[in-house]
Amino acid sequence: MKHDKHLTLGIETSCDETAVSVVADGREVLSNIISSQISIHTEFGGVVPEIASRRHLENINDVIDAALSEADVTLEDIDLIGVTYGPGLVGALLIGVAAAKSLAYACDIPLIGVNHMHGHIAANYLEHPDLEPPFMALVVSGGHTNIVNVPDYNRCEKIGGTRDDAAGEAFDKVARVIGLGYPGGPKVDKAAREGNRDAIDFKRVYLEPGSYDFSFSGLKTQALNYLNTEKQAGREINVNDVAASFQEAVVEVIADKAVNAALEFGQKRIVLAGGVASNTRLRELISEKAAAHGIDVLRPSPILCTDNGAMIASAAYYAYRAGERSGYDLDAVPGLEF
Amino acid sequence: MNILALETTGRYGSAAVINDEGMVWCADSVNEMNHLTDIISISDKAISLAGITKKDLTHVAASVGPGSFTGIRIGVTTARTLGQALGIPCIGVSSLEAMAYRVLEDASRNNADIVVPIINARRHQTYAGSWNVIFAMDAGILSLTELHEEKQYMIEELLGQLKETGSVIYFTGDGIDAYESIIRETLPQGSYILAGEDLRYQHAGAVAERALKYARAGRTVAYDDLMPEYMRLAEAEMRLKEGTLSDKIRRTIK
Ligand SMILES: Nc1ncnc2c1ncn2[C@@H]1O[C@H](COP(=O)(O)OP(=O)(O)OP(=O)(O)O)[C@@H](O)[C@H]1O
Ligand SMILES: [Mg+2]
């Protein structure tokens, strides 16, 4: 407690960001330190789990210190420790979990293990001080593409998910195929702004009628086939056009399904979460489609869309208020379900 | 002085507390490779067995490797963060060195000249080192001095170097479980001793004893300077160096 505010320290190390944050009363971000490894992994063309784990270990304690000092608090002021315990890379997750448990034990602070995906949704509580459940959430990230009904703070009901590649994964794969490199999402987004989204007819995969599931793995093959055909015909490839057309195929399906889900469940709000929620065209299209039905679309700012400790702190805070606690035997669960 | 020592580089994790007089209290994990789940409870148990509280700790030590990469990370991260939260310094101890000291008395009793801890790193690879057993007659004190440096050895290469010494060798570590038949084929009978299973594996008690020595010698570090000793680059780093980085090693985000 400091100045009568409940303080949560949130720790996130599920993939390639070592991130720690201090959040007051579950809503107010006092500090949000993110030490990214992107430049390291770029050298390898993707996240290398063993290297990510090594860097997390070297960084974690300094990032904790930085988060405390930027928030102008000490460990004694902290009332709750929240930490991502899954899903993610096991070697990366366990650094955060080991650190969180040690802090909780040494300073006698309650501990809460947070599902990373619930954290992504909670990022919206930080961005929108008045937002409260119920709402429909669309979680689109590097590893996940989920439509989730959120009836209250501590319930996340997944009503649809990807059957193969996640949306972010599709962006990353296609970006590599067309030579844009890693990380693919932001690069495709940028290139697409200069391209024609009707140039190439990428298939929209809606699956069975009424399904809220996704399938994006065919898009990479389609991109590869297109590039081959063009090459053989001796035609020059317009990367911007490929990016724009591919992107449109992904975001159109996502936007349609999210809006349909909100309508079916009677939700007046769609809340976006995850790295792909930063995508310019997705935001534009889903807002358009939702507005036609009187549905609001909310999203966190880009810094809260990517992995961060603040979203974990917020999710931990609401779990704590509902009476949840984790023990010192908290384990990392790489394949944690929604 | 009250030092908490963690050893999670082997199959079973353990924690120990050692005091000024060298008295040691230990707690062991009963489940294999359960380091992350058990680390706090075994630490807490060792602390209460010692009759102190966590606030009475003066140092946190960890076995920094070599050994299981995952285990190394759990022990080192826990030691670092306990040091950070309790405001006390850390001590890094080599897993191999602690293993060598763990068997020192037994080695001397068996008239061994050299102690060799071997950690199995699969496919004939090991992490190992060797130490000469020194007995100071006048003081009656046993100690070790390094003979072959701690590094990665192919088991055949290590045994070749040891054979040349013509000395009696005392082996310890889970490398025995993996390479016992190769040892038997390479070294003449009677020229080596294998540690019994009660002493063969990593244990926090031995780490605590080394840590006490280090603390007395002022060999402590700040929590964010405690570093793991993997003794091996990540596979992707090796491939990148060799220029053989393949798509198998590269992974997209997940
Ligand atoms: N502007 C953008 N357009 C499209 N995709 C984007 C954009 N910005 C980021 N991405 C994608 O978002 C993903 C990263 O998001 P995030 O950090 O939420 O995922 P993650 O944490 O790796 O995965 P998860 O949260 O599922 O474990 C990457 O695949 C990246 O390419
Ligand atoms: Mg994420």
Side-chain angles (χ1 to χ4, degrees):
Chain A
M1 290 290 253
K2 193 171 181 189
H3 306 309
D4 274 347
K5 285 179 174 165
H6 182 281
L7 300 182
T8 306
L9 183 85
I11 300 179
E12 154 62 39
T13 62
S14 68
C15 189
D16 60 346
E17 334 272 357
T18 316
V20 182
S21 165
V22 178
V23 170
D25 295 331
R27 292 275 175 166
E28 186 192 346
V29 181
L30 301 186
S31 66
N32 191 18
I33 309 294
I34 303 173
S35 163
S36 175
Q37 304 178 0
I38 283 205
S39 59
I40 299 164
H41 296 289
T42 302
E43 210 179 350
F44 299 98
V47 176
V48 183
E50 176 60 26
I51 295 173
S53 310
R54 292 184 179 201
R55 295 296 98 82
H56 282 306
L57 184 152
E58 290 159 16
N59 287 337
I60 184 73
N61 302 96
D62 296 337
V63 177
I64 292 170
D65 276 336
L68 290 169
S69 75
E70 185 159 316
D72 197 21
V73 299
T74 67
L75 273 174
E76 281 97 77
D77 302 320
I78 299 295
D79 303 293
L80 176 66
I81 310 263
V83 62
T84 303
Y85 74 107
L89 303 168
V90 65
L93 287 166
L94 64 84
I95 300 294
V97 172
K101 294 204 290 192
S102 303
L103 292 177
Y105 171 68
C107 302
D108 293 307
I109 306 171
L111 173 73
I112 301 248
V114 173
N115 183 320
H116 178 82
M117 305 315 298
H118 296 188
H120 273 304
I121 294 174
N124 283 281
Y125 300 135
L126 302 166
E127 188 74 40
H128 311 290
D130 301 325
L131 174 67
E132 286 185 22
F135 52 77
M136 188 61 66
L138 170 65
V139 187
V140 273
S141 64
H144 297 83
T145 309
N146 290 314
I147 299 179
V148 183
N149 188 40
V150 183
D152 61 54
Y153 280 111
N154 294 296
R155 272 199 296 161
C156 288
E157 300 161 358
K158 178 175 152 186
I159 60 170
T162 184
R163 294 188 186 167
D164 40 58
D165 289 354
E169 203 174 354
F171 272 94
D172 293 328
K173 282 184 178 174
V174 168
R176 188 180 300 158
V177 165
I178 60 180
L180 286 174
Y182 166 90
K187 294 196 168 157
V188 170
D189 191 347
K190 190 154 173 260
R193 279 175 231 158
E194 313 296 323
N196 171 7
R197 51 181 178 254
D198 300 319
I200 304 140
D201 186 24
F202 277 98
K203 201 160 177 258
R204 272 72 168 155
V205 183
Y206 283 91
L207 303 166
E208 319 80 70
S211 166
Y212 294 115
D213 284 350
F214 301 94
S215 168
F216 294 121
S217 64
L219 287 168
K220 183 190 156 189
T221 321
Q222 223 192 316
L224 273 174
N225 290 345
Y226 171 79
L227 295 182
N228 277 338
T229 317
E230 294 300 293
K231 223 196 228 155
Q232 268 164 15
R235 283 190 291 266
E236 206 166 305
I237 288 151
N238 184 329
V239 171
N240 296 342
D241 284 353
V242 185
S245 304
F246 153 77
Q247 176 177 279
E248 194 68 11
V250 175
V251 304
E252 198 174 300
V253 176
I254 294 176
D256 279 337
K257 294 203 177 211
V259 171
N260 286 342
L263 287 173
E264 186 184 325
F265 285 77
Q267 301 290 21
K268 299 308 277 174
R269 278 166 309 184
I270 297 174
V271 153
L272 307 187
V276 184
S278 304
N279 184 272
T280 325
R281 181 62 186 151
L282 173 62
R283 275 151 39 185
E284 191 176 274
L285 198 63
I286 196 167
S287 301
E288 251 171 49
K289 288 181 190 272
H293 298 281
I295 295 170
D296 282 338
V297 176
L298 302 177
R299 58 174 184 83
S301 50
I303 190 69
L304 292 172
C305 281
T306 56
D307 293 352
N308 64 84
M311 68 187 200
I312 302 305
S314 177
Y317 174 78
Y318 286 104
Y320 177 77
R321 292 231 328 215
E324 233 179 83
R325 300 290 183 274
S326 297
Y328 293 134
D329 59 351
L330 181 68
D331 203 358
V333 184
L336 186 65
E337 289 292 323
F338 218 99
Chain B
M1 240 184 298
N2 290 302
I3 305 172
L4 172 68
L6 309 175
E7 172 52 276
T8 53
T9 68
R11 199 181 293 192
Y12 292 90
S14 51
V17 169
I18 190 166
N19 70 5
D20 276 316
E21 286 103 69
M23 292 173 72
V24 181
W25 293 269
C26 298
D28 293 68
S29 195
V30 288
N31 299 307
E32 253 181 57
M33 294 315 253
N34 230 26
H35 304 318
L36 184 58
T37 11
D38 292 355
I39 187 94
I40 298 293
S41 68
I42 58 176
S43 299
D44 190 54
K45 192 168 166 200
I47 290 168
S48 41
L49 285 173
I52 59 169
T53 72
K54 58 203 171 198
K55 308 286 176 203
D56 299 320
L57 293 173
T58 56
H59 303 77
V60 192
S63 165
V64 296
S68 145
F69 287 176
T70 296
I72 291 172
R73 283 193 271 273
I74 293 165
V76 173
T77 303
T78 303
R80 278 174 151 243
T81 315
L82 289 175
Q84 177 178 30
L86 295 168
I88 57 179
C90 292
I91 300 169
V93 175
S94 148
S95 57
L96 290 169
E97 185 184 312
M99 290 163 80
Y101 275 92
R102 187 171 193 216
V103 298
L104 176 54
E105 259 179 44
D106 194 52
S108 160
R109 208 174 305 122
N110 284 283
N111 297 317
D113 306 304
I114 298 172
V115 171
V116 183
I118 312 173
I119 293 173
N120 176 17
R122 286 188 211 98
R123 281 181 270 135
H124 290 233
Q125 309 244 37
T126 68
Y127 305 113
S130 76
W131 283 263
N132 284 310
V133 179
I134 309 290
F135 183 61
M137 279 290 201
D138 44 341
I141 292 172
L142 274 172
S143 64
L144 292 171
T145 57
E146 187 179 85
L147 177 63
H148 297 108
E149 64 167 324
E150 294 175 41
K151 65 180 184 81
Q152 266 195 87
Y153 295 87
M154 295 300 285
I155 183 68
E156 292 80 4
E157 170 199 7
L158 177 70
L159 294 177
Q161 291 184 19
L162 292 168
K163 195 173 178 181
E164 273 173 27
T165 65
S167 309
V168 176
I169 318 278
Y170 185 107
F171 290 102
T172 186
D174 69 0
I176 296 175
D177 307 338
Y179 305 122
E180 184 173 343
S181 60
I182 303 179
I183 296 173
R184 291 196 186 288
E185 284 157 22
T186 313
L187 300 179
Q189 235 206 325
S191 75
Y192 63 89
I193 299 143
L194 305 179
E197 291 195 10
D198 53 333
L199 290 178
R200 188 177 291 178
Y201 307 107
Q202 287 98 315
H203 197 268
V207 177
E209 287 181 8
R210 294 314 297 155
L212 180 62
K213 280 259 183 223
Y214 284 14
R216 287 191 171 136
R219 285 174 62 183
T220 65
V221 294
Y223 58 87
D224 54 348
D225 286 330
L226 183 69
M227 288 299 168
E229 179 48 88
Y230 299 108
M231 219 160 258
R232 193 190 255 185
L233 288 176
E235 194 173 337
E237 286 171 313
M238 285 191 285
R239 299 266 175 109
L240 187 68
K241 266 192 177 170
E242 293 165 1
T244 57
L245 193 68
S246 75
D247 265 344
K248 262 206 195 122
I249 289 292
R250 295 178 196 207
R251 302 235 177 117
T252 350
I253 306 296
K254 284 287 105 79

